[in-house]
Amino acid sequence: MTIALILKKLGALVLTVFVASVMVFFSMYLVPGDPLGFLLRGRSPSPEAIAAVTAQYGLDKPVLAQYVDWLVNVLHGNFGRSFQYREDVSTLLASRAPTTLGLIVLAGLIIAVLGLAAGIVSALTRGKAADRIILTALTGLAAIPSFVGAIVLIALFAVQLGWFPSFGSGTGFLDTLYHLVLPALALALAFVALVARVTRSSMLDQLGREHVEVAVSRGVARGAVVRRHVLRNALGPILTVSGVLVAGLLVASAVVEQAFGLSGIGSLLVQSVDRLDFPVVQVIVLLIVLIFVTVNTAVDLLASAIDPRSKAGAAAR
C-alpha cells in the first residue's frame, strides 16, 4: 500500500463529504414548507418577533452565507438547535447514539457469525442437501423486509412465547442488551443472506483455483487448506460487501427502531423528517454519509493491504 493510494482515497472521501454537505443543506429548500413557517407554527406574530426568530436561526442571511455558516459550525462540532425540541442537536444525538450504536453492533455480530457460517458451510457442501437447505433459507431471508421481520419476531418471541420484550431499550448494560436482541435480529435477517451468498460465491471461486487443488493433491488437511488458502483469499469481496452493509444498517435501523419503540438516531430521523426539523435531518443525513464513506475507504485500504492484486487491478484501471 503506497502513500499515494492513501492520499487518493482520503481526497475522494473529503470531496464526497463536501458534495454531500451541499446537497444535504440545500435540499431543505426543495421540500414543501420552510423553517420559518415551522417555527411560527401557524401563529401571526409581530414583525419584530419574526425578525428575532429569523436572526436567531440565521434565516435572515443569504442562502450561500447560511451554508457557509452551517458548514463552519458543523466542522467545529456545533450542529445548531432543533426546531422541535429547542435544544442543541449534539445533545439529542449524544442521548440517542448509544441505542443505535448498540443495535448496529449487535446486528453486525449476528450478520458476521450467521452469514459467514452459512456461506462457508454452503460452499464446502456444494450440491449436497445442506447446501440446498441453506440456499433455500437464504432466499427466504433475503425476501423479508426489516419491518415484516420485526412484526413476525414480536408476534412469535415477545407475544406468543414471552421470551423477549417488544418495546423500549431497557436500562443498564445487560437489560439493554436483552431488549436489543429482537431488534438486532430483525435488522440483521436480510443482510445475513447477502453476506452468506457473497461468502459462498467467493469461496467457491477460491476452491477452484490451481494452488488449492495442488495443496489438496499433496495431502494437506482440508481444514488447513480452507483456512490458509481459501478463506483468507476470499475475504476481499466479503470486506467490500461489509462496507455497503454499513449504510444499509444505518438506514434500516430507522424502521426497526420505530417498530420496537427504541429512542435511537433512526427514529429521531423519521420524526424530524415528518416535522420538518431541518437542523436534525441535515446533521443525521450528513453523519450517515460520513460513516458510509469512511467505512468504505477503510475497507478499500484494508482490501489492498490483504490482497495486493486488488491494488494492482485498481492501478491498471
Side-chain angles (χ1 to χ4, degrees):
M1 185 186 304
T2 63
I3 299 297
L5 176 62
I6 297 176
L7 292 178
K8 180 181 178 181
K9 293 292 185 181
L10 292 179
L13 184 152
V14 173
L15 178 61
T16 302
V17 174
F18 171 73
V19 172
S21 72
V22 174
M23 297 177 64
V24 165
F25 181 83
F26 288 100
S27 63
M28 73 176 181
Y29 295 98
L30 302 177
V31 299
D34 62 273
L36 182 60
F38 177 83
L39 290 169
L40 298 178
R41 298 187 182 184
R43 291 172 291 186
S44 301
S46 64
E48 293 78 9
I50 294 177
V53 171
T54 54
Q56 179 183 359
Y57 288 91
L59 301 176
D60 55 339
K61 299 180 180 180
V63 176
L64 185 59
Q66 291 183 40
Y67 167 73
V68 173
D69 290 344
W70 174 77
L71 184 60
V72 170
N73 287 329
V74 167
L75 293 176
H76 285 85
N78 179 13
F79 302 143
R81 290 179 62 83
S82 166
F83 294 165
Q84 177 186 353
Y85 296 97
R86 298 294 198 275
E87 60 178 306
D88 291 341
V89 177
S90 57
T91 303
L92 288 173
L93 295 181
S95 64
R96 292 172 177 256
T99 299
T100 300
L101 181 61
L103 174 63
I104 291 177
V105 169
L106 186 55
L109 291 175
I110 295 173
I111 293 169
V113 173
L114 296 183
L116 288 175
I120 292 172
V121 172
S122 180
L124 296 179
T125 59
R126 181 181 183 181
K128 298 180 181 179
D131 181 32
R132 291 193 292 270
I133 292 173
I134 291 175
L135 290 178
T136 302
L138 294 178
T139 302
L141 289 178
I144 301 177
S146 296
F147 70 93
V148 174
I151 294 173
V152 173
L153 291 173
I154 290 173
L156 179 59
F157 293 104
V159 177
Q160 189 70 26
L161 300 176
W163 290 355
F164 296 98
S166 61
F167 189 85
S169 55
T171 56
F173 177 75
L174 293 179
D175 190 42
T176 299
L177 185 63
Y178 177 55
H179 277 73
L180 290 180
V181 171
L182 283 188
L185 190 58
L187 181 59
L189 288 179
F191 297 102
V192 167
L194 175 60
V195 171
R197 286 187 174 277
V198 171
T199 301
R200 180 181 186 274
S201 176
S202 184
M203 287 196 61
L204 287 176
D205 177 63
Q206 294 299 323
L207 285 169
R209 296 295 177 91
E210 183 179 352
H211 67 280
V212 174
E213 296 177 353
V214 170
V216 173
S217 66
R218 289 182 176 179
V220 180
R222 183 176 176 81
V225 172
V226 171
R227 289 193 305 270
R228 297 175 186 174
H229 303 288
V230 178
L231 187 56
R232 179 180 177 181
N233 293 331
L235 286 178
I238 299 172
L239 284 175
T240 301
V241 170
S242 68
V244 179
L245 286 181
V246 173
L249 288 173
L250 287 170
V251 174
S253 66
V255 177
V256 174
E257 287 178 6
Q258 287 286 95
F260 287 90
L262 301 177
S263 298
I265 293 178
S267 60
L268 177 63
L269 176 61
V270 173
Q271 295 167 8
S272 299
V273 169
D274 182 57
R275 297 167 187 175
L276 298 181
D277 197 347
F278 296 110
V280 177
V281 175
Q282 290 171 337
V283 171
I284 293 179
V285 173
L286 187 61
L287 182 63
I288 292 175
V289 172
L290 177 61
I291 293 174
F292 173 69
V293 176
T294 301
V295 171
N296 275 273
T297 301
V299 166
D300 287 344
L301 294 175
L302 184 58
S304 298
I306 292 176
D307 187 359
R309 291 173 300 176
S310 62
K311 179 175 66 176
R317 290 192 296 271

